[in-house]
């Protein structure tokens, strides 16, 4: 829980406005997050149902973000590209095959609204080859999903302390995009460091209702 508590404050200012608009479908069995991974029904790989105790700080943060943001891991809830991208272990050949499908759009990953690039970044270092394939396919490296535009790929990297992935994204950006990203990072840092005006502000949940 500590990783989630330290990560969400950075995302919360951007997610708060969408707390009533789900980005993910609740699994049919009522489970949430990655708890359904690796089981029956077409899950996308063996994964942790909660925050990993071991591993690096970045891995713990990513586990917390996946549990909070990706509420279904049924393959049928993803596009072919999204399923290939999010699968564990990483499957670059499967991603290449999905990219070659005539119906594939590199920005569409799942019913829940997360683009393939976001899904790959949420998987961490093991999926950096997948991130590279998406970048080579000229995916959008700047924007967030339509319902939460401010949850950009760089913001996910910052929240997870994923420096290698962030460097890969920055290497694909044009100068105007780099300036915009720098300004956005400054605003995010200011928001994260500013004292909260209310002590009991509700924590936003994507795809969940109280």
């Amino acid at each position: 829980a500590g990783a989630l508590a330290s990560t969400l404050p950075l995302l919360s200012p951007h997610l708060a406005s969408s707390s009533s608009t789900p980005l993910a479908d609740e699994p049919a069995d009522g489970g949430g997050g990655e708890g359904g991974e690796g089981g029956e029904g077409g899950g996308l790989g063996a994964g942790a149902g909660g925050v990993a105790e071991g591993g690096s700080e970045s891995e713990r943060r990513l586990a917390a973000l996946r549990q909070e943001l990706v509420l279904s891991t049924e393959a049928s809830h993803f596009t072919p590209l999204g399923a290939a991208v999010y699968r564990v272990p990483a499957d670059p050949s499967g991603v290449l095959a999905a990219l070659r499908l005539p119906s594939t759009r590199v920005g569409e990953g799942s019913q829940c609204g997360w683009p393939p690039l976001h899904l790959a970044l949420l998987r961490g270092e093991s999926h950096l080859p997948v991130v590279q394939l998406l970048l080579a396919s000229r995916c959008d490296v700047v924007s967030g999903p339509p319902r939460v535009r401010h949850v950009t790929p760089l913001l996910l990297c910052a929240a997870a302390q994923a420096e290698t992935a962030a460097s890969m994204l920055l290497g694909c950006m044009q100068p105007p995009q780099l300036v915009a990203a720098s300004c956005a990072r400054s605003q995010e840092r200011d928001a994260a460091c500013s004292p909260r005006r209310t002590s009991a502000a509700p924590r936003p949940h994507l795809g969940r209702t109280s």
Side-chain angles (χ1 to χ4, degrees):
L4 183 59
S6 62
T7 300
L8 283 181
L10 184 60
L11 290 172
S12 293
H14 305 298
L15 300 182
S17 62
S18 66
S19 58
S20 61
T21 307
L23 281 191
D25 296 328
E26 286 285 359
D29 61 1
E34 297 200 330
E37 273 193 319
E40 298 296 328
L44 293 178
V51 181
E53 293 296 332
S56 67
E57 176 66 17
S58 177
E59 290 171 341
R60 290 193 294 271
R61 286 171 176 257
L62 284 166
L65 286 168
R66 289 195 301 270
Q67 186 178 28
E68 184 74 9
L69 302 181
V70 184
L71 301 184
S72 174
T73 56
E74 291 295 322
S76 61
H77 293 174
F78 294 75
T79 65
L81 178 59
V85 163
Y86 202 59
R87 192 174 303 279
V88 174
D91 181 17
S93 61
V95 174
L96 273 174
L99 284 168
R100 291 169 178 159
L101 293 174
S103 60
T104 291
R105 295 184 179 181
V106 74
E108 295 181 358
S110 66
Q111 294 177 4
C112 64
W114 295 113
L117 180 58
H118 286 67
L119 294 171
L121 291 171
L122 284 168
R123 282 303 193 189
E125 289 191 3
S126 65
H127 280 56
L128 289 179
V130 173
V131 171
Q132 187 61 58
L133 286 174
L134 294 173
L135 296 179
S137 299
R138 298 186 178 181
C139 64
D140 186 347
V141 299
V142 178
S143 305
R147 297 180 187 174
V148 278
R149 282 293 185 188
H150 293 299
V151 184
T152 64
L154 270 180
L155 180 60
L156 281 184
C157 291
Q161 297 182 350
E163 296 180 3
T164 302
S167 296
M168 293 169 65
L169 296 178
L170 291 170
C172 293
M173 291 184 180
Q174 300 300 317
Q177 295 174 326
L178 290 170
V179 172
S182 177
C183 293
R185 286 290 300 275
S186 296
Q187 293 172 358
E188 291 154 10
R189 184 169 55 251
D190 292 343
C193 295
S194 298
R196 296 181 181 274
R197 294 187 178 183
T198 59
S199 58
R203 190 180 75 186
H205 291 274
L206 295 185
R208 299 182 183 180
T209 57
S210 55

